[in-house]
Amino acid sequence: MKAKHISVFTLLVLLLAEAEVSMAVTCTPTQLSSCVSAITSSSPPTKLCCTKIREQRPCLCQYMKNQTLRKFINTPNAKRVAKTCGTPFPTC
């Protein structure tokens, strides 16, 4: 009986994990526009900026492949903003 409970639990965990993976992020660099002032200066990021960085985090490596975006994303200030927002900066 205990094995049945464990397998039901395992199934629920797998279903929840699959649901989370299937929620795709739409990579839209303009979503990070609320972070421009924090990235280009030493001002702290806004709450909206932190929310958008967390949402767009899966897209950051893609953005760094773009020459125009890379000069804003791959900077010490951008890394500071990500850290301040509690979002690990990806290694691509």
PDB file of all heavy atoms in Angstrom, residues 31-55:
ATOM      1  N   GLN A  31      10.720  43.822 -23.169  1.00  0.00           N
ATOM      2  CA  GLN A  31      10.186  43.592 -21.829  1.00  0.00           C
ATOM      3  C   GLN A  31      11.163  44.071 -20.759  1.00  0.00           C
ATOM      4  O   GLN A  31      10.771  44.303 -19.617  1.00  0.00           O
ATOM      5  CB  GLN A  31       9.884  42.107 -21.629  1.00  0.00           C
ATOM      6  CG  GLN A  31       8.741  41.594 -22.451  1.00  0.00           C
ATOM      7  CD  GLN A  31       7.417  42.132 -21.957  1.00  0.00           C
ATOM      8  OE1 GLN A  31       7.138  42.141 -20.760  1.00  0.00           O
ATOM      9  NE2 GLN A  31       6.597  42.594 -22.875  1.00  0.00           N
ATOM     10  N   LEU A  32      12.433  44.207 -21.141  1.00  0.00           N
ATOM     11  CA  LEU A  32      13.446  44.655 -20.185  1.00  0.00           C
ATOM     12  C   LEU A  32      13.638  46.176 -20.199  1.00  0.00           C
ATOM     13  O   LEU A  32      14.547  46.687 -19.547  1.00  0.00           O
ATOM     14  CB  LEU A  32      14.776  43.957 -20.474  1.00  0.00           C
ATOM     15  CG  LEU A  32      14.758  42.442 -20.298  1.00  0.00           C
ATOM     16  CD1 LEU A  32      16.081  41.836 -20.747  1.00  0.00           C
ATOM     17  CD2 LEU A  32      14.460  42.070 -18.868  1.00  0.00           C
ATOM     18  N   SER A  33      12.781  46.887 -20.892  1.00  0.00           N
ATOM     19  CA  SER A  33      12.941  48.343 -20.983  1.00  0.00           C
ATOM     20  C   SER A  33      12.864  49.025 -19.615  1.00  0.00           C
ATOM     21  O   SER A  33      13.478  50.069 -19.397  1.00  0.00           O
ATOM     22  CB  SER A  33      11.913  48.947 -21.941  1.00  0.00           C
ATOM     23  OG  SER A  33      10.604  48.711 -21.465  1.00  0.00           O
ATOM     24  N   SER A  34      12.149  48.420 -18.681  1.00  0.00           N
ATOM     25  CA  SER A  34      12.070  49.008 -17.335  1.00  0.00           C
ATOM     26  C   SER A  34      13.400  48.915 -16.589  1.00  0.00           C
ATOM     27  O   SER A  34      13.570  49.521 -15.534  1.00  0.00           O
ATOM     28  CB  SER A  34      10.972  48.319 -16.520  1.00  0.00           C
ATOM     29  OG  SER A  34      11.239  46.941 -16.406  1.00  0.00           O
ATOM     30  N   CYS A  35      14.359  48.179 -17.152  1.00  0.00           N
ATOM     31  CA  CYS A  35      15.673  48.014 -16.515  1.00  0.00           C
ATOM     32  C   CYS A  35      16.746  48.920 -17.119  1.00  0.00           C
ATOM     33  O   CYS A  35      17.879  48.932 -16.623  1.00  0.00           O
ATOM     34  CB  CYS A  35      16.127  46.565 -16.645  1.00  0.00           C
ATOM     35  SG  CYS A  35      15.039  45.386 -15.837  1.00  0.00           S
ATOM     36  N   VAL A  36      16.421  49.655 -18.159  1.00  0.00           N
ATOM     37  CA  VAL A  36      17.433  50.446 -18.865  1.00  0.00           C
ATOM     38  C   VAL A  36      18.151  51.409 -17.936  1.00  0.00           C
ATOM     39  O   VAL A  36      19.379  51.475 -17.932  1.00  0.00           O
ATOM     40  CB  VAL A  36      16.812  51.188 -20.070  1.00  0.00           C
ATOM     41  CG1 VAL A  36      17.782  52.198 -20.667  1.00  0.00           C
ATOM     42  CG2 VAL A  36      16.388  50.182 -21.135  1.00  0.00           C
ATOM     43  N   SER A  37      17.411  52.153 -17.128  1.00  0.00           N
ATOM     44  CA  SER A  37      18.082  53.144 -16.268  1.00  0.00           C
ATOM     45  C   SER A  37      18.978  52.465 -15.233  1.00  0.00           C
ATOM     46  O   SER A  37      20.051  52.967 -14.922  1.00  0.00           O
ATOM     47  CB  SER A  37      17.061  54.053 -15.589  1.00  0.00           C
ATOM     48  OG  SER A  37      16.242  53.318 -14.716  1.00  0.00           O
ATOM     49  N   ALA A  38      18.571  51.314 -14.716  1.00  0.00           N
ATOM     50  CA  ALA A  38      19.405  50.613 -13.737  1.00  0.00           C
ATOM     51  C   ALA A  38      20.645  50.015 -14.390  1.00  0.00           C
ATOM     52  O   ALA A  38      21.704  49.968 -13.779  1.00  0.00           O
ATOM     53  CB  ALA A  38      18.596  49.517 -13.054  1.00  0.00           C
ATOM     54  N   ILE A  39      20.515  49.579 -15.657  1.00  0.00           N
ATOM     55  CA  ILE A  39      21.650  48.970 -16.359  1.00  0.00           C
ATOM     56  C   ILE A  39      22.632  50.026 -16.857  1.00  0.00           C
ATOM     57  O   ILE A  39      23.837  49.816 -16.839  1.00  0.00           O
ATOM     58  CB  ILE A  39      21.157  48.083 -17.520  1.00  0.00           C
ATOM     59  CG1 ILE A  39      20.448  46.849 -16.953  1.00  0.00           C
ATOM     60  CG2 ILE A  39      22.304  47.655 -18.428  1.00  0.00           C
ATOM     61  CD1 ILE A  39      19.755  45.992 -17.985  1.00  0.00           C
ATOM     62  N   THR A  40      22.129  51.185 -17.255  1.00  0.00           N
ATOM     63  CA  THR A  40      23.006  52.210 -17.822  1.00  0.00           C
ATOM     64  C   THR A  40      23.523  53.201 -16.784  1.00  0.00           C
ATOM     65  O   THR A  40      24.314  54.079 -17.115  1.00  0.00           O
ATOM     66  CB  THR A  40      22.283  52.983 -18.947  1.00  0.00           C
ATOM     67  OG1 THR A  40      21.089  53.584 -18.424  1.00  0.00           O
ATOM     68  CG2 THR A  40      21.943  52.072 -20.108  1.00  0.00           C
ATOM     69  N   SER A  41      23.079  53.070 -15.539  1.00  0.00           N
ATOM     70  CA  SER A  41      23.576  53.942 -14.473  1.00  0.00           C
ATOM     71  C   SER A  41      23.749  53.095 -13.214  1.00  0.00           C
ATOM     72  O   SER A  41      23.693  51.880 -13.276  1.00  0.00           O
ATOM     73  CB  SER A  41      22.583  55.079 -14.217  1.00  0.00           C
ATOM     74  OG  SER A  41      21.412  54.582 -13.604  1.00  0.00           O
ATOM     75  N   SER A  42      23.929  53.754 -12.111  1.00  0.00           N
ATOM     76  CA  SER A  42      24.084  53.000 -10.864  1.00  0.00           C
ATOM     77  C   SER A  42      22.803  53.028 -10.033  1.00  0.00           C
ATOM     78  O   SER A  42      22.833  52.678  -8.856  1.00  0.00           O
ATOM     79  CB  SER A  42      25.254  53.557 -10.058  1.00  0.00           C
ATOM     80  OG  SER A  42      25.028  54.916  -9.766  1.00  0.00           O
ATOM     81  N   SER A  43      21.684  53.423 -10.651  1.00  0.00           N
ATOM     82  CA  SER A  43      20.428  53.457  -9.899  1.00  0.00           C
ATOM     83  C   SER A  43      19.937  52.034  -9.637  1.00  0.00           C
ATOM     84  O   SER A  43      20.193  51.121 -10.423  1.00  0.00           O
ATOM     85  CB  SER A  43      19.369  54.269 -10.651  1.00  0.00           C
ATOM     86  OG  SER A  43      19.073  53.655 -11.890  1.00  0.00           O
ATOM     87  N   PRO A  44      19.244  51.837  -8.532  1.00  0.00           N
ATOM     88  CA  PRO A  44      18.752  50.487  -8.216  1.00  0.00           C
ATOM     89  C   PRO A  44      17.619  50.083  -9.154  1.00  0.00           C
ATOM     90  O   PRO A  44      16.888  50.944  -9.650  1.00  0.00           O
ATOM     91  CB  PRO A  44      18.252  50.625  -6.776  1.00  0.00           C
ATOM     92  CG  PRO A  44      17.967  52.064  -6.595  1.00  0.00           C
ATOM     93  CD  PRO A  44      18.897  52.814  -7.509  1.00  0.00           C
ATOM     94  N   PRO A  45      17.469  48.787  -9.396  1.00  0.00           N
ATOM     95  CA  PRO A  45      16.379  48.340 -10.256  1.00  0.00           C
ATOM     96  C   PRO A  45      15.030  48.499  -9.560  1.00  0.00           C
ATOM     97  O   PRO A  45      14.936  48.379  -8.341  1.00  0.00           O
ATOM     98  CB  PRO A  45      16.698  46.868 -10.504  1.00  0.00           C
ATOM     99  CG  PRO A  45      17.531  46.455  -9.343  1.00  0.00           C
ATOM    100  CD  PRO A  45      18.300  47.684  -8.931  1.00  0.00           C
ATOM    101  N   THR A  46      14.023  48.758 -10.359  1.00  0.00           N
ATOM    102  CA  THR A  46      12.665  48.862  -9.823  1.00  0.00           C
ATOM    103  C   THR A  46      12.085  47.460  -9.626  1.00  0.00           C
ATOM    104  O   THR A  46      12.625  46.473 -10.132  1.00  0.00           O
ATOM    105  CB  THR A  46      11.749  49.638 -10.786  1.00  0.00           C
ATOM    106  OG1 THR A  46      11.658  48.897 -12.015  1.00  0.00           O
ATOM    107  CG2 THR A  46      12.267  51.044 -11.053  1.00  0.00           C
ATOM    108  N   LYS A  47      10.984  47.391  -8.924  1.00  0.00           N
ATOM    109  CA  LYS A  47      10.298  46.116  -8.722  1.00  0.00           C
ATOM    110  C   LYS A  47       9.868  45.535 -10.071  1.00  0.00           C
ATOM    111  O   LYS A  47       9.990  44.336 -10.310  1.00  0.00           O
ATOM    112  CB  LYS A  47       9.094  46.317  -7.801  1.00  0.00           C
ATOM    113  CG  LYS A  47       8.396  45.047  -7.416  1.00  0.00           C
ATOM    114  CD  LYS A  47       7.285  45.310  -6.418  1.00  0.00           C
ATOM    115  CE  LYS A  47       6.602  44.008  -6.042  1.00  0.00           C
ATOM    116  NZ  LYS A  47       5.565  44.233  -5.041  1.00  0.00           N
ATOM    117  N   LEU A  48       9.384  46.409 -10.967  1.00  0.00           N
ATOM    118  CA  LEU A  48       8.976  45.961 -12.302  1.00  0.00           C
ATOM    119  C   LEU A  48      10.169  45.396 -13.065  1.00  0.00           C
ATOM    120  O   LEU A  48      10.066  44.356 -13.718  1.00  0.00           O
ATOM    121  CB  LEU A  48       8.339  47.106 -13.087  1.00  0.00           C
ATOM    122  CG  LEU A  48       7.940  46.788 -14.530  1.00  0.00           C
ATOM    123  CD1 LEU A  48       6.904  45.661 -14.572  1.00  0.00           C
ATOM    124  CD2 LEU A  48       7.421  48.035 -15.224  1.00  0.00           C
ATOM    125  N   CYS A  49      11.305  46.056 -12.976  1.00  0.00           N
ATOM    126  CA  CYS A  49      12.525  45.578 -13.627  1.00  0.00           C
ATOM    127  C   CYS A  49      12.864  44.175 -13.135  1.00  0.00           C
ATOM    128  O   CYS A  49      13.132  43.274 -13.938  1.00  0.00           O
ATOM    129  CB  CYS A  49      13.682  46.539 -13.358  1.00  0.00           C
ATOM    130  SG  CYS A  49      15.305  45.910 -13.849  1.00  0.00           S
ATOM    131  N   CYS A  50      12.842  43.966 -11.834  1.00  0.00           N
ATOM    132  CA  CYS A  50      13.177  42.652 -11.280  1.00  0.00           C
ATOM    133  C   CYS A  50      12.195  41.588 -11.751  1.00  0.00           C
ATOM    134  O   CYS A  50      12.586  40.467 -12.084  1.00  0.00           O
ATOM    135  CB  CYS A  50      13.221  42.713  -9.755  1.00  0.00           C
ATOM    136  SG  CYS A  50      14.639  43.644  -9.128  1.00  0.00           S
ATOM    137  N   THR A  51      10.930  41.938 -11.808  1.00  0.00           N
ATOM    138  CA  THR A  51       9.920  40.998 -12.299  1.00  0.00           C
ATOM    139  C   THR A  51      10.219  40.608 -13.740  1.00  0.00           C
ATOM    140  O   THR A  51      10.180  39.429 -14.103  1.00  0.00           O
ATOM    141  CB  THR A  51       8.508  41.617 -12.198  1.00  0.00           C
ATOM    142  OG1 THR A  51       8.237  41.904 -10.832  1.00  0.00           O
ATOM    143  CG2 THR A  51       7.453  40.687 -12.753  1.00  0.00           C
ATOM    144  N   LYS A  52      10.539  41.591 -14.557  1.00  0.00           N
ATOM    145  CA  LYS A  52      10.806  41.332 -15.976  1.00  0.00           C
ATOM    146  C   LYS A  52      12.097  40.541 -16.170  1.00  0.00           C
ATOM    147  O   LYS A  52      12.175  39.684 -17.052  1.00  0.00           O
ATOM    148  CB  LYS A  52      10.852  42.640 -16.771  1.00  0.00           C
ATOM    149  CG  LYS A  52       9.511  43.346 -16.838  1.00  0.00           C
ATOM    150  CD  LYS A  52       8.473  42.455 -17.475  1.00  0.00           C
ATOM    151  CE  LYS A  52       7.114  43.108 -17.545  1.00  0.00           C
ATOM    152  NZ  LYS A  52       6.114  42.241 -18.165  1.00  0.00           N
ATOM    153  N   ILE A  53      13.105  40.798 -15.354  1.00  0.00           N
ATOM    154  CA  ILE A  53      14.352  40.025 -15.468  1.00  0.00           C
ATOM    155  C   ILE A  53      14.086  38.567 -15.120  1.00  0.00           C
ATOM    156  O   ILE A  53      14.582  37.668 -15.798  1.00  0.00           O
ATOM    157  CB  ILE A  53      15.460  40.619 -14.571  1.00  0.00           C
ATOM    158  CG1 ILE A  53      16.042  41.848 -15.240  1.00  0.00           C
ATOM    159  CG2 ILE A  53      16.553  39.596 -14.295  1.00  0.00           C
ATOM    160  CD1 ILE A  53      17.227  42.450 -14.560  1.00  0.00           C
ATOM    161  N   ARG A  54      13.287  38.338 -14.082  1.00  0.00           N
ATOM    162  CA  ARG A  54      12.965  36.947 -13.732  1.00  0.00           C
ATOM    163  C   ARG A  54      12.193  36.277 -14.872  1.00  0.00           C
ATOM    164  O   ARG A  54      12.453  35.123 -15.199  1.00  0.00           O
ATOM    165  CB  ARG A  54      12.155  36.889 -12.441  1.00  0.00           C
ATOM    166  CG  ARG A  54      13.017  37.105 -11.207  1.00  0.00           C
ATOM    167  CD  ARG A  54      12.362  36.705  -9.919  1.00  0.00           C
ATOM    168  NE  ARG A  54      11.567  37.637  -9.163  1.00  0.00           N
ATOM    169  CZ  ARG A  54      11.896  38.858  -8.780  1.00  0.00           C
ATOM    170  NH1 ARG A  54      13.023  39.378  -9.152  1.00  0.00           N
ATOM    171  NH2 ARG A  54      11.103  39.592  -8.044  1.00  0.00           N
ATOM    172  N   GLU A  55      11.256  36.998 -15.478  1.00  0.00           N
ATOM    173  CA  GLU A  55      10.473  36.434 -16.577  1.00  0.00           C
ATOM    174  C   GLU A  55      11.341  36.157 -17.802  1.00  0.00           C
ATOM    175  O   GLU A  55      11.168  35.146 -18.469  1.00  0.00           O
ATOM    176  CB  GLU A  55       9.357  37.395 -16.993  1.00  0.00           C
ATOM    177  CG  GLU A  55       8.237  37.528 -15.997  1.00  0.00           C
ATOM    178  CD  GLU A  55       7.240  38.606 -16.378  1.00  0.00           C
ATOM    179  OE1 GLU A  55       7.381  39.259 -17.436  1.00  0.00           O
ATOM    180  OE2 GLU A  55       6.288  38.820 -15.598  1.00  0.00           O
TER     181      GLU A  55
END
